[in-house]
Amino acid sequence: MAYTIDRFPSADSPRLGAMTLHPVAESVPRARRWFRKFIAPYNPACSIDDCVLMISELVTNAILYGRADETWTVRVAWYRVETSLRIEVHNPGFPASVRMRQPEANDAHGRGLLLVDSIAESWHSGPSRFGGTVVSFDVADAWPSEEGAGPVLS
């Protein structure tokens, strides 16, 4: 199997969904399609196109720069955090130092985190709870504060 999707999180979980992908190029468009499909029932007010762009960049980075001694996968999960949407991309390979690059005008690569930094409310990287590295971003005002959407991360 090339992937798994968790589209039915438990009712008491702030996680809205998750997917596990093999580190291959085909996983990038698959991540975009699945995120669109499985976030739609939650009707977020934020730009899904912006989220999909940032997911594409981070999944691509995880595939290109992730390394491990054994077979590994890329995990994408999305959560409601108060009124924001948080999306995490985990690479359970070796922990990596994630940094924003300053590419030259003619460089073909190196703009992914610049895009995330310019679109997201905030982003961060660090050790993943699955081992390896996680890069996450928050999109503000995805839901009104008064909406009763069940559990949220705080």
Side-chain angles (χ1 to χ4, degrees), residues 2-75:
Y3 52 84
T4 60
I5 186 81
D6 175 4
R7 61 184 212 195
F8 299 111
S10 68
D12 60 346
S13 172
R15 192 182 77 227
L16 303 176
M19 63 182 107
T20 303
L21 306 156
H22 285 290
V24 295
E26 296 82 27
S27 290
V28 177
R30 182 172 287 136
R32 290 191 298 258
R33 281 191 312 272
W34 282 354
F35 178 77
R36 278 187 193 284
K37 179 176 181 174
F38 295 114
I39 196 64
Y42 297 100
N43 198 26
C46 60
S47 169
I48 299 303
D49 290 338
D50 285 352
C51 292
V52 166
L53 173 63
M54 292 185 285
I55 288 169
S56 291
E57 294 298 333
L58 296 183
V59 170
T60 298
N61 285 351
I63 291 168
L64 290 176
Y65 303 115
R67 298 289 177 261
D69 288 334
E70 66 256 2
T71 303
W72 54 278
T73 58
V74 174
R75 180 176 173 84

Side-chain angles (χ1 to χ4, degrees), residues 54-139:
M54 292 185 285
I55 288 169
S56 291
E57 294 298 333
L58 296 183
V59 170
T60 298
N61 285 351
I63 291 168
L64 290 176
Y65 303 115
R67 298 289 177 261
D69 288 334
E70 66 256 2
T71 303
W72 54 278
T73 58
V74 174
R75 180 176 173 84
V76 180
W78 48 99
Y79 302 82
R80 178 168 176 178
V81 182
E82 297 176 358
T83 61
S84 296
L85 172 63
R86 174 172 298 152
I87 299 172
E88 299 177 346
V89 178
H90 297 264
N91 171 6
F94 296 127
S97 173
V98 177
R99 62 181 176 79
M100 196 164 25
R101 296 167 63 188
Q102 299 299 323
E104 298 292 326
N106 59 351
D107 288 346
H109 303 284
R111 291 174 179 78
L113 283 176
L114 287 170
L115 283 169
V116 172
D117 188 61
S118 67
I119 297 170
E121 176 73 18
S122 63
W123 70 274
H124 96 277
S125 66
S128 169
R129 65 184 169 279
F130 302 107
T133 304
V134 61
V135 179
S136 66
F137 62 87
D138 289 346
V139 179

